[in-house]
């Protein structure tokens, strides 16, 4: 009788999910920077904020997506990624409101 746990494909699915998250955030960042690059200071601030949040999410997601990070992070990663996603959404709303005005 085996006492070890057989994780099956779960670690690979988890790594792929983190990679998809990072890819999505990267695409959103590129689009936001492109839309915000009109030359005015407000657009520059929005683009800069988006790049800063992208960098933070890159630091959080990369180790999980490549399998080089710890398996357990004490439950800190998911709330931080959620907060980063909310900040990106708010920056997107600011970008849309700026474009409408």
């Amino acid at each position: 009788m085996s006492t070890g746990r057989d994780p099956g494909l779960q670690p690979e699915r988890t790594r792929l999910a983190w990679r998809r998250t990072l890819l999505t955030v990267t695409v959103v960042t590129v689009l936001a920077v492109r839309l915000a690059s009109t030359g005015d200071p407000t657009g520059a601030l929005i683009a800069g904020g988006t790049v800063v949040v992208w960098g933070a999410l890159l630091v959080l997601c990369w180790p999980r997506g490549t399998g080089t990070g710890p398996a357990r992070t004490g439950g800190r990663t998911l709330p931080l990624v959620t907060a980063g996603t909310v900040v990106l959404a708010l920056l997107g709303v600011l970008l849309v409101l700026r474009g409408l005005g």
Side-chain angles (χ1 to χ4, degrees):
M1 181 175 220
S2 174
T3 59
R5 181 175 155 290
D6 180 21
L9 294 176
Q10 185 270 330
E12 182 179 3
R13 286 192 309 266
T14 300
R15 280 193 302 276
L16 290 172
W18 282 105
R19 287 179 187 175
R20 282 191 307 271
T21 300
L22 189 55
L23 178 64
T24 302
V25 170
T26 301
V27 169
V28 167
T29 300
V30 168
L31 290 174
V33 168
R34 182 171 179 214
L35 289 173
S37 60
T38 58
D40 66 333
T42 305
L45 284 173
I46 292 172
T50 304
V51 171
V52 167
V53 172
W54 173 79
L57 290 174
L58 178 67
V59 168
L60 289 170
C61 295
W62 188 261
R64 304 298 287 297
T66 59
T68 59
R72 301 275 184 232
T73 59
R76 294 182 304 264
T77 303
L78 191 57
L80 290 173
V81 170
T82 303
T85 303
V86 169
V87 169
L88 281 177
L90 292 174
L91 288 170
V93 168
L94 285 174
L95 190 61
V96 169
L97 291 176
R98 184 184 68 89
L100 294 176

